[in-house]
Amino acid sequence: MKKLEIRDLLKFKFISSLSFSPDGKFLGFVVHKMNEEENNYISNIWVYNTESKNLFQLTTFGRESNFIWLDNETILFPSIRDEKEKKRKEKGETFTIFYKISINGGEAEKYFEVPYIVRKIEKLNDQTFVLLVSSDKNIPDFTKPDEKEKQQALKKIKEEKDYEIIDEIPFWQNGAGFTNKKRTRLYLYNLKENTFIPLTDEFTNVIQFDIKNDKKKILFISNRYKNKMKIGADLFLYDVNSNTLEKLTHETSFRYTYAYFLDDSIIFAGSNMKKYGITENPKFYLLEPKTKHVTLLTPDFDLSLRNSVGTDCRYGSNKNAVTDENYFYFITTEWNSSYLNRINKEGKIEKLTKKGGSIDGFDAKNGKIYFVGFKDYKLQEIYELKDTETQITTFNEWVVKERKISKPERFTFLSGDGVKLEGWIIRPVDFDESKKYPAILDIHGGPKTVYGEVFFHEMQVWANEGYVVMFTNPRGSDGRGNEFADIRGKYGTVDYEDLMKFVDEALKRSPFIDKEKLGVTGGSYGGFMTNWIIGHTDRFKAAASQRSISNWISKFATTDIGYFFVEDQHASNPWNNYEKLWWHSPMKYADKIKTPTLFIHSEEDYRCWLAEGIQMFTSLKYFGVESRLVLFKGENHELSRSGKPKHRIRRLKEITEWFNKYLK
């Protein structure tokens, strides 16, 4: 077997968009792979026949990242397929072209075009579709077919391209660029008449929507704002026949996680954020539309309703909640793994998956359940869930068969104040008990996410480079309830102590680790903690700080979530307690740092803006500490997870070479 290398990432397959045909016979999904030459991703639709077990690739164009089923044998997807369409995009025209293709064979046919950027589409009936579109108050209207007006609109876009007018917050969003006066709006589109009916206004952001089985009602969560986006949202019900909109919001300042129809009722999850702030775990509620009566179904439920298990081997998006028959299906994270569950209208919850790992997404239809997951320390595959989990694809099977893999070894330990914690080490491949090895502490982001026993490319690369890799879930992590995750006002205290206690425990249990050759790295919150650690201890001989936070005051005023996240997580803002924000800022302790540090940052990271990395880098250079800053143009906060292929390779190469320089 060969050693796993950085460039093996280019060969991995990533699976997304799992979706059943209306009759449940076919399962569609998208397979993504990297295209190094073009420095992008190739995405094609595949189909699995759940009865014959036949698996086949449906499209070959390579740009089909999402789709819906028009009927039991026809798929609808957006695509740009000729040079004229590309040139229209380049000139600034906004539109989405939809193609349809039969799963029984034949070429894709152009079906219709709409003058909006469509984020999501659902079929209401043969002539009507529900569109979730990107709307920009500052972009001229392209719905009018008049060519003269279109050219005038394009001219205006060209004239305005060098300016950004900002008059609200947030004014930009990670991965979306400047978003001032941009919203996601709901429309009804009539295909026959080519007409558009807006269901929401120009100041409303629609977060999620669902259509009732009888196609007569549309449920959606939205947030309307001018000047400053509020935290929380509203719930609305639209009646298709009467063209009326009804507000169902049951409590002010409520944060809805999602909302779906369950028979004639509505099941939703969310939190009023009163006890644990914006990251408080949601609870389930049942709402009766006719009476507006709301019942709390799960008063004692205390888990996040998402997959928080981290890895650098995903691409694309998947469903994380579905209704089927009399059940609502959802994902939870518990300790180090995510699981598939279901709940009925009485509030009874059943955990459907038992094995650890990660449930990345799923679909359920007529009692059939399939999911995309990381299981048995393999990369993503599709599994059928009955009484057991049965793997049905082998897209990434070659990795475990052809490459050297070192699996994580879990252990538990007690924090300094007696809280049970968990951590792992990964031994170097070709491990020799008689040798001493350098080690890297890898810290997850969030902080409300988790590490688990799922395939992590960077960790396996380092194990193949001869490193011990150490990772843990300190307090602040997900999967163990609100109390464990709540480190508001404590950043850099209990979490830092837990991390250092973990390192002590790992060294005690693993005498083959060379304690004089320790490195530390992490991204986002992990980058903050890397910056914090090097300002509070010299035990690490090298550090790699990625998309980090160095100054909570600057983060408050420059990032897409800063003005509400910082205040919530530190119970402070720059006016009522700037001393506290500065005390928790790693930059405050930069004069104590001696650790050679690499900084990785993306120029379009609006979650932890460029200034955060620059400030820390400048501080270290000012005090004469060996440091290096690598900036990635055209990338954002998701560089390590969905960045351009060449950039992802370069990022990991920079970090690995930095550790090799100082730890070997």
Side-chain angles (χ1 to χ4, degrees):
M1 296 178 74
K2 295 181 179 179
K3 286 190 174 183
L4 185 79
E5 299 177 348
I6 293 175
R7 291 181 56 80
D8 282 327
L9 180 67
L10 298 168
K11 304 173 188 176
F12 295 168
K13 303 288 180 60
F14 312 102
I15 305 169
S16 74
S17 309
L18 219 61
S19 180
F20 273 112
S21 59
D23 61 3
K25 180 179 178 181
F26 296 99
L27 184 72
F29 57 95
V30 178
V31 177
H32 313 267
K33 62 181 179 180
M34 293 183 175
N35 182 345
E36 184 180 18
E37 185 177 346
E38 299 293 330
N39 203 23
N40 57 19
Y41 293 81
I42 295 173
S43 305
N44 283 301
I45 300 170
W46 285 63
V47 175
Y48 177 70
N49 187 323
T50 64
E51 295 178 358
S52 70
K53 312 302 181 186
N54 182 36
L55 177 69
F56 58 95
Q57 183 175 327
L58 183 64
T59 63
T60 58
F61 189 71
R63 297 291 183 270
E64 287 73 54
S65 58
N66 57 76
F67 67 92
I68 64 167
W69 291 88
L70 278 179
D71 55 44
N72 291 324
E73 297 182 342
T74 311
I75 279 175
L76 180 76
F77 61 90
S79 187
I80 293 179
R81 295 197 157 207
D82 63 41
E83 290 301 318
K84 288 183 180 179
E85 295 164 359
K86 290 180 182 177
K87 288 180 180 179
R88 288 170 62 195
K89 281 285 185 185
E90 291 168 359
K91 289 180 179 180
E93 187 176 347
T94 58
F95 62 90
T96 303
I97 299 173
F98 287 95
Y99 289 77
K100 64 178 180 178
I101 187 170
S102 170
I103 64 172
N104 297 314
E107 293 295 319
E109 302 175 33
K110 191 173 181 178
Y111 193 35
F112 62 85
E113 176 182 329
V114 295
Y116 300 102
I117 303 299
V118 178
R119 298 302 178 194
K120 183 180 179 182
I121 183 171
E122 293 290 348
K123 180 182 174 182
L124 197 62
N125 54 52
D126 288 339
Q127 294 298 326
T128 310
F129 293 86
V130 183
L131 307 180
L132 182 63
V133 309
S134 294
S135 171
D136 188 342
K137 193 173 184 293
N138 301 309
I139 287 183
D141 186 6
F142 283 101
T143 60
K144 301 173 183 177
D146 184 84
E147 185 62 28
K148 184 178 180 180
E149 291 183 1
K150 181 185 289 187
Q151 292 305 315
Q152 289 175 341
L154 290 171
K155 183 180 179 181
K156 183 177 180 180
I157 289 173
K158 186 176 181 180
E159 291 173 349
E160 293 293 317
K161 70 182 179 66
D162 291 336
Y163 313 99
E164 289 291 347
I165 309 300
I166 296 171
D167 59 5
E168 66 181 19
I169 56 173
F171 53 85
W172 57 16
Q173 181 181 343
N174 185 69
F178 282 89
T179 56
N180 198 80
K181 291 297 184 289
K182 295 179 181 178
R183 303 290 190 267
T184 49
R185 297 181 65 183
L186 268 185
Y187 283 85
L188 288 185
Y189 170 58
N190 186 285
L191 179 61
K192 184 178 181 180
E193 299 174 3
N194 195 33
T195 56
F196 301 88
I197 300 175
L199 306 189
T200 57
D201 68 19
E202 60 189 4
F203 293 104
T204 297
N205 246 340
V206 175
I207 300 164
Q208 179 246 324
F209 73 90
D210 187 42
I211 302 173
K212 196 175 180 184
N213 285 338
D214 62 11
K215 309 298 183 181
K216 295 180 180 179
K217 307 278 186 180
I218 301 172
L219 179 71
F220 66 89
I221 300 168
S222 65
N223 184 339
R224 188 181 193 277
Y225 67 95
K226 296 179 181 179
N227 300 316
K228 184 174 76 170
M229 185 185 75
K230 66 180 181 180
I231 306 307
D234 289 302
L235 188 64
F236 287 91
L237 186 65
Y238 175 77
D239 188 296
V240 176
N241 293 332
S242 64
N243 188 28
T244 56
L245 191 63
E246 182 181 14
K247 187 175 181 179
L248 299 179
T249 307
H250 74 294
E251 184 177 352
T252 58
S253 299
F254 193 84
R255 196 169 197 181
Y256 291 89
T257 304
Y258 41 52
Y260 288 84
F261 290 104
L262 188 58
D263 296 328
D264 291 327
S265 305
I266 292 169
I267 189 166
F268 68 87
S271 162
N272 59 20
M273 305 171 284
K274 289 181 179 178
K275 188 172 183 180
Y276 293 101
I278 61 174
T279 62
E280 184 170 329
N281 287 333
K283 298 184 186 301
F284 283 104
Y285 299 79
L286 195 72
L287 186 153
E288 301 301 338
K290 291 183 179 180
T291 63
K292 291 190 178 182
H293 179 73
V294 174
T295 302
L296 173 59
L297 295 177
T298 58
D300 301 320
F301 186 78
D302 189 15
L303 292 170
S304 64
L305 298 178
R306 60 179 185 143
N307 177 21
S308 302
V309 182
T311 178
D312 54 0
C313 295
R314 296 187 180 106
Y315 189 81
S317 60
N318 276 291
K319 297 176 184 177
N320 66 354
V322 173
T323 52
D324 181 49
E325 297 177 331
N326 299 318
Y327 294 98
F328 177 72
Y329 293 80
F330 61 97
I331 294 173
T332 57
T333 296
E334 302 176 40
W335 280 76
N336 54 61
S337 296
S338 56
Y339 299 91
L340 182 59
N341 310 261
R342 69 182 184 184
I343 185 173
N344 62 15
K345 293 172 70 171
E346 286 70 48
K348 180 184 177 183
I349 294 177
E350 299 173 74
K351 184 189 288 188
L352 302 178
T353 55
K354 303 297 189 293
K355 290 176 64 175
S358 171
I359 307 291
D360 284 15
F362 69 96
D363 201 7
K365 178 71 71 172
N366 303 331
K368 295 179 181 178
I369 304 170
Y370 287 78
F371 67 85
V372 179
F374 289 82
K375 296 287 179 174
D376 302 315
Y377 213 70
K378 297 179 180 181
L379 278 89
Q380 277 186 332
E381 300 292 353
I382 296 177
Y383 295 81
E384 180 182 14
L385 177 62
K386 288 184 177 178
D387 295 328
T388 59
E389 303 167 10
T390 303
Q391 182 178 332
I392 67 167
T393 62
T394 56
F395 290 111
N396 293 300
E397 200 72 18
W398 67 271
V399 179
V400 293
K401 290 180 178 179
E402 300 175 18
R403 294 295 184 267
K404 292 183 178 180
I405 304 296
S406 181
K407 294 185 178 181
E409 302 170 19
R410 180 180 180 268
F411 59 87
T412 60
F413 62 101
L414 296 179
S415 68
D417 53 353
V419 176
K420 184 179 180 180
L421 301 171
E422 63 179 345
W424 294 261
I425 65 160
I426 298 176
R427 300 185 189 218
V429 299
D430 303 325
F431 176 74
D432 185 341
E433 193 79 47
S434 66
K435 291 183 178 180
K436 288 277 190 178
Y437 294 93
I440 299 171
L441 171 64
D442 203 345
I443 307 169
H444 67 61
K448 200 178 176 185
T449 63
V450 297
Y451 277 146
E453 295 174 20
V454 301
F455 191 97
F456 220 112
H457 177 245
E458 68 180 33
M459 293 184 184
Q460 288 303 314
V461 166
W462 295 331
N464 277 267
E465 282 277 333
Y467 289 97
V468 176
V469 183
M470 308 179 292
F471 55 100
T472 186
N473 292 323
R475 274 172 286 187
S477 301
D478 202 2
R480 295 181 59 183
N482 284 311
E483 200 70 41
F484 187 85
D486 186 19
I487 57 169
R488 291 173 300 162
K490 301 174 185 177
Y491 278 58
T493 61
V494 295
D495 47 356
Y496 169 69
E497 292 164 8
D498 288 352
L499 285 164
M500 293 305 99
K501 181 72 173 177
F502 164 68
V503 173
D504 292 340
E505 190 70 21
L507 292 176
K508 183 174 71 174
R509 291 170 176 263
S510 310
F512 47 83
I513 295 176
D514 188 341
K515 66 180 181 180
E516 299 302 322
K517 294 182 178 180
L518 302 180
V520 59
T521 189
S524 195
Y525 165 79
F528 157 78
M529 190 50 69
T530 299
N531 291 344
W532 183 269
I533 284 171
I534 60 177
H536 288 78
T537 179
D538 297 331
R539 73 190 302 182
F540 298 93
K541 305 308 177 187
S545 175
Q546 307 169 60
R547 58 186 190 279
S548 67
I549 300 163
S550 62
N551 184 341
W552 289 107
I553 298 171
S554 59
K555 179 172 172 60
F556 176 96
T558 60
T559 66
D560 58 355
I561 65 172
Y563 70 93
F564 60 85
F565 181 84
V566 173
E567 187 166 39
D568 178 82
Q569 292 296 290
H570 293 286
S572 307
N573 64 44
W575 299 273
N576 64 21
N577 199 347
Y578 74 88
E579 295 94 344
K580 181 170 178 59
L581 294 183
W582 182 239
W583 188 93
H584 288 279
S585 297
M587 188 176 166
K588 171 180 168 62
Y589 310 97
D591 58 340
K592 298 177 175 61
I593 296 173
K594 298 186 176 73
T595 308
T597 303
L598 169 70
F599 295 94
I600 300 285
H601 227 97
S602 298
E603 286 195 347
E604 296 174 15
D605 184 343
Y606 303 138
R607 186 62 39 82
C608 296
W609 191 41
L610 179 60
E612 297 302 307
I614 288 176
Q615 287 180 89
M616 204 67 183
F617 167 75
T618 300
S619 299
L620 266 64
K621 282 294 184 184
Y622 180 81
F623 288 111
V625 179
E626 187 67 26
S627 52
R628 172 183 172 92
L629 173 60
V630 182
L631 299 178
F632 288 81
K633 296 181 179 180
E635 295 292 356
N636 58 52
H637 198 66
E638 301 304 308
L639 167 64
S640 65
R641 297 179 283 250
S642 60
K644 296 180 178 66
K646 289 182 180 179
H647 296 175
R648 292 178 68 177
I649 297 298
R650 178 63 180 269
R651 166 199 163 268
L652 188 49
K653 185 171 179 286
E654 288 282 349
I655 297 170
T656 304
E657 289 180 350
W658 186 261
F659 284 136
N660 287 346
K661 178 180 179 180
Y662 290 99
L663 302 181
K664 287 189 174 180

